Amino acid sequence: MSTHVEKDQVSGHETTGHEWDGIKELNTPLPSWWVYVFWATIIWSVGYWVVYPSWPTATSYLTGMFETTNRTQLHETMANVAAERAPYMERLAALDLDEIVNDSELLNFSMAGGKAVFAENCAPCHGTGGSGNPGFPSLQDDDWLWGGTLEAVNETVHVGVRWDASEDTRFNDMPAFGRDEILEREDINDVVQYVLAFTGRETDKAAANRGAEVFADNCASCHGEDAKGVQELGAPNLTDAIWLYGGDAANITETVNNSRGGVMPAWGGRLDEETIKMLTVYVHSLGGGQ
């Protein structure tokens, strides 16, 4: 049985026998350079399978002649870094925080390490460089709810704030004066006007005068009679312009009505002691350390 092979008169190439609307498909051969590149890639891939890790097996994978992966390279790099850091970490473990900040070499090491740890674990809430976010305090000012000394910062990092998994966590509980019907709406409005007056803002003076008594009866025990806050209780200063949840009348009213209660993880046990010391030194240096 013979098969007629038709050639295109213009190009001289054979046709495939397919035709659409009078247009015949040419059986044009691939360019030689393309064929060579195609076979070269196949040969290269086979060589790659031999040299580098490739195909999975039932229990593992083909490790290749070099028996190296990005993971093994990472482990080697991390091991080298750990070896270089080991002498510094040993010194950190042996010294108190005050001694660390008075040692220029260890201080520089702690600042570099603490900055990296902060960026990885703390910046998502406290902001880059500790600038703060609504509901997450700035670490660049002098307004520290639980104290800004090295020891106080270290304790807060260790135990967290309202962190249920830590038995020693920092904890305070502001009543929800409106939601729990502790105060009437008029009393809440009066005490808000009183608090606004601390920073010299224009208020309803009659309401503010009534609010003074409401504050003394319900708020002074935590915030202090002068409203400057009590760090032992984590109660904020109400006489400055620093407000964690906003300091206008609407936000203060919301706070008095429904309370606030931010949470900070306890990093003790999640980070080693030397890393927490570096983090403490870095946070203390941001500008608000006492």
Side-chain angles (χ1 to χ4, degrees):
M1 179 177 178
S2 62
T3 302
H4 174 69
V5 177
E6 181 181 3
K7 288 190 176 181
D8 178 61
Q9 295 180 357
V10 177
S11 64
H13 294 307
E14 296 178 356
T15 67
T16 63
H18 300 154
E19 181 179 343
W20 293 271
D21 295 333
I23 300 174
K24 296 181 179 180
E25 180 183 29
L26 298 180
N27 189 15
T28 305
L30 293 169
S32 299
W33 67 265
W34 192 96
V35 175
Y36 296 148
V37 171
F38 175 72
W39 284 109
T41 58
I42 294 176
I43 296 171
W44 175 268
S45 66
V46 173
Y48 195 95
W49 297 339
V50 173
V51 174
Y52 291 99
S54 55
W55 295 101
T57 63
T59 58
S60 182
Y61 59 91
L62 300 180
T63 58
M65 294 176 59
F66 292 167
E67 295 187 352
T68 184
T69 65
N70 289 340
R71 186 180 297 275
T72 59
Q73 293 172 355
L74 173 63
H75 288 328
E76 291 173 0
T77 300
M78 296 301 293
N80 292 335
V81 170
E84 293 176 0
R85 293 176 44 165
Y88 294 99
M89 301 300 278
E90 291 175 1
R91 291 170 61 190
L92 282 174
L95 297 179
D96 294 331
L97 291 166
D98 289 330
E99 295 173 311
I100 292 171
V101 297
N102 289 320
D103 185 314
S104 59
E105 187 177 26
L106 271 186
L107 176 61
N108 291 334
F109 178 79
S110 298
M111 289 289 292
K115 183 177 182 179
V117 175
F118 185 91
E120 182 177 354
N121 298 282
C122 313
C125 291
H126 289 286
T128 303
S131 57
N133 286 303
F136 301 99
S138 168
L139 305 176
Q140 297 179 353
D141 54 39
D142 291 323
D143 209 42
W144 290 83
L145 292 177
W146 299 97
T149 64
L150 282 167
E151 291 73 17
V153 174
N154 187 260
E155 177 70 10
T156 301
V157 173
H158 267 95
V159 303
V161 178
R162 301 183 190 87
W163 191 250
D164 291 341
S166 172
E167 294 181 357
D168 300 320
T169 190
R170 304 278 203 190
F171 184 82
N172 65 8
D173 189 9
M174 175 180 172
F177 289 100
R179 186 183 64 213
D180 294 340
E181 300 180 351
I182 300 172
L183 294 176
E184 299 292 335
R185 180 179 301 179
E186 293 76 11
D187 292 332
I188 292 175
N189 177 69
D190 291 347
V191 79
V192 168
Q193 294 298 309
Y194 179 67
V195 170
L196 287 170
F198 290 148
T199 50
R201 285 175 283 183
E202 185 175 347
T203 62
D204 181 333
K205 291 183 171 53
N209 289 335
R210 294 192 300 269
E213 183 177 351
V214 178
F215 185 91
D217 292 341
N218 298 275
C219 313
S221 57
C222 290
H223 292 282
E225 293 182 1
D226 57 1
K228 292 187 179 296
V230 179
Q231 289 183 344
E232 290 78 7
L233 301 176
N237 182 356
L238 304 178
T239 65
D240 56 27
I242 301 172
W243 291 87
L244 187 57
Y245 294 97
D248 58 21
N251 280 309
I252 297 175
T253 300
E254 173 67 18
T255 299
V256 177
N257 266 309
N258 296 305
S259 181
R260 306 283 190 176
V263 176
M264 172 183 162
W267 295 102
R270 304 175 72 181
L271 299 175
D272 60 60
E273 290 300 309
E274 295 75 26
T275 299
I276 290 179
K277 286 183 178 180
M278 291 192 293
L279 181 58
T280 297
V281 169
Y282 174 73
V283 169
H284 183 264
S285 74
L286 290 177
Q290 296 172 352

